[in-house]
Amino acid sequence: MDFPSTQFVPSRTMGTYEPIHQIGMWGENLKGIGSPNISPSVIVDVANKLENESETTSHELLAPSSKYDQEASKPFDKIQRRLAQNREAARKSRLRKKAYVQQLENSRLKLIQLEQELQRARQQGLSAGGAIEVGHLGISGAVNSGIAAFEMGYERWMEEQNKQICDLRIALDAQISDIELHILVESGMSHYLELFRMKSSVAKADVFYVMSGTWKTTAERFFSWIGGFRPSELLKVLVPQIDPLTDHQILEVCNLKQSCQQAEDALSQGMEKLQETVSATLASGQMGQGTYLPQVAMAMEKLEALVNFVNQADHLRKETLQQMSSILTTRQAARGLLALGEYIQRLQALSTVWANRSHEPA
């Protein structure tokens, strides 16, 4: 019996479909087996051959199915990995949120403590002076709220600063492209501009707070000038870290340093003049009478100029950073920002070591 070569029939052994032409070959062999002249050994060989060919054909047909199962499992593994990544990201987000809530709670408690101290100071001032209203001195809950908000913002600023320092160090060691490095430099510059903006805002609430530098460590306050670092001193720190410089760059840096020193001298002289004026205002009138509200009111008016001094000093710091960035190459500017950040970290470390030393028994 002849079979078309394109048809399939069920296989008895594997439960799959076999090509008809293969079965036709087996039929021809079986016809030969029926001949009386064929020995039993030949029949056994033909039977074994047919069984082997059947198993081979079945395995070939089943192989694609096994391969398909492997391919189908790949998207499932990818989904599992993505779910695991999402769970880890959610866990980190919860931790960050918990830390932020705790930070807010600590700030709230600190603000309550400040308000309590303010209330005690108000009561003591009224009982001692009699004629001074604390509200006229600009001490209020709004002022303390502004200071608390600044301290929270500065703490976050320092966390981001430390992260940027680490990123710059890794980038410089890895020798990344100037384009990628330029992005880090721009981010670092913007970060310092954000600090100047924050200081300007809190200076309107309490300029003495900014001038005192109580938001910094003790070693930083030791080198403080009008609420921040002195630009000319900054250049002394940075220049050795960005060598070698070209002759043109050296000339530009020297000119910038000279301009910084002239501006610093002008601001320092203005500060000294303001101090003399405020001191003379408070000392005016007759001492010993117990009524000094008019002198305090006049001194308050003169101290409005102190906010301008802080803003001008920060403007000089900002201009110095921007001018240095324009003079240097991208890689030199990155090294300069890294040196500035590490210098601040070393001042903070000095403050910590000194504080621990002062508490050690003699």
Side-chain angles (χ1 to χ4, degrees):
M1 179 179 180
D2 296 330
F3 294 91
S5 60
T6 57
Q7 295 181 1
F8 288 82
V9 298
S11 169
R12 294 179 181 179
T13 57
M14 302 300 294
T16 60
Y17 287 87
E18 304 284 2
I20 289 298
H21 69 83
Q22 185 69 33
I23 297 178
M25 292 172 59
W26 294 350
E28 294 296 329
N29 292 328
L30 289 174
K31 288 179 183 180
I33 293 174
S35 174
N37 298 325
I38 301 300
S39 66
S41 61
V42 173
I43 295 175
V44 172
D45 291 341
V46 171
N48 290 336
K49 180 179 180 181
L50 292 175
E51 183 178 358
N52 292 335
E53 290 177 351
S54 176
E55 290 178 357
T56 301
T57 304
S58 300
H59 285 308
E60 290 176 352
L61 292 173
L62 287 176
S65 176
S66 176
K67 182 178 181 181
Y68 175 78
D69 292 340
Q70 294 177 359
E71 293 294 330
S73 66
K74 289 183 180 180
F76 180 76
D77 294 340
K78 185 176 181 180
I79 293 174
Q80 290 294 100
R81 288 195 301 271
R82 185 175 298 174
L83 290 175
Q85 292 173 353
N86 292 341
R87 286 194 295 269
E88 180 64 17
R91 185 185 70 83
K92 291 181 179 179
S93 178
R94 289 193 297 270
L95 291 177
R96 286 194 299 268
K97 182 179 179 181
K98 183 178 179 181
Y100 181 69
V101 170
Q102 183 63 41
Q103 187 181 41
L104 290 177
E105 180 64 19
N106 294 339
S107 299
R108 186 183 70 84
L109 295 176
K110 187 174 182 179
L111 179 59
I112 293 174
Q113 182 181 1
L114 289 172
E115 290 177 346
Q116 292 174 349
E117 293 176 356
L118 174 63
Q119 184 65 26
R120 287 194 297 269
R122 182 182 291 112
Q123 293 173 354
Q124 293 173 359
L126 289 175
S127 61
I132 296 181
E133 297 181 7
V134 179
H136 290 169
L137 298 179
I139 303 176
S140 64
V143 172
N144 289 312
S145 298
I147 292 175
F150 172 80
E151 291 181 345
M152 288 178 56
Y154 182 70
E155 185 176 350
R156 291 193 296 269
W157 187 90
M158 280 304 307
E159 291 176 356
E160 178 63 23
Q161 172 77 349
N162 293 332
K163 179 180 178 297
Q164 289 189 0
I165 292 172
C166 182
D167 292 341
L168 280 171
R169 187 182 299 114
I170 293 173
L172 288 170
D173 290 341
Q175 295 293 320
I176 66 174
S177 67
D178 285 353
I179 296 177
E180 295 173 300
L181 204 56
H182 179 74
I183 296 175
L184 295 178
V185 170
E186 288 296 316
S187 177
M189 293 292 295
S190 299
H191 193 56
Y192 279 104
L193 297 185
E194 174 64 16
L195 175 61
F196 300 148
R197 186 199 64 78
M198 292 165 53
K199 287 173 59 181
S200 177
S201 178
V202 74
K204 296 176 182 178
D206 190 351
V207 68
F208 285 120
Y209 169 80
V210 178
M211 289 290 298
S212 65
T214 53
W215 44 282
K216 292 187 174 185
T217 60
T218 53
E220 288 177 285
R221 293 201 296 269
F222 179 70
F223 293 97
S224 182
W225 173 78
I226 313 183
F229 57 81
R230 188 182 288 268
S232 59
E233 292 296 326
L234 169 66
L235 295 178
K236 292 180 182 179
V237 173
L238 296 186
V239 171
Q241 303 298 324
I242 55 181
D243 276 337
L245 297 173
T246 65
D247 293 340
H248 179 71
Q249 286 178 323
I250 293 174
L251 179 61
E252 292 289 329
V253 171
C254 289
N255 291 337
L256 177 60
K257 184 178 180 181
Q258 184 178 3
S259 299
C260 287
Q261 289 175 336
Q262 292 175 352
E264 290 169 8
D265 291 342
L267 286 175
S268 297
Q269 291 173 7
M271 283 289 299
E272 292 176 2
K273 184 63 177 178
L274 179 62
Q275 289 175 344
E276 293 175 359
T277 302
V278 173
S279 178
T281 301
L282 292 174
S284 63
Q286 188 175 355
M287 296 287 188
Q289 293 181 345
T291 57
Y292 40 84
L293 187 58
Q295 290 81 6
V296 172
M298 287 188 293
M300 282 288 296
E301 294 178 0
K302 298 181 183 300
L303 281 175
E304 293 295 332
L306 191 56
V307 177
N308 293 330
F309 277 102
V310 172
N311 290 336
Q312 289 177 20
D314 276 346
H315 179 72
L316 180 58
R317 285 183 271 265
K318 179 183 72 173
E319 287 294 319
T320 303
L321 287 173
Q322 291 178 337
Q323 286 293 327
M324 281 295 293
S325 179
S326 64
I327 293 172
L328 303 176
T329 65
T330 301
R331 199 161 295 274
Q332 288 173 331
R335 293 208 307 267
L337 285 175
L338 177 59
L340 176 58
E342 289 185 342
Y343 179 70
I344 295 175
Q345 287 181 334
R346 293 175 185 181
L347 287 176
Q348 294 171 346
L350 175 61
S351 300
T352 302
V353 173
W354 181 262
N356 292 335
R357 173 186 175 277
S358 62
H359 287 87
E360 292 178 357

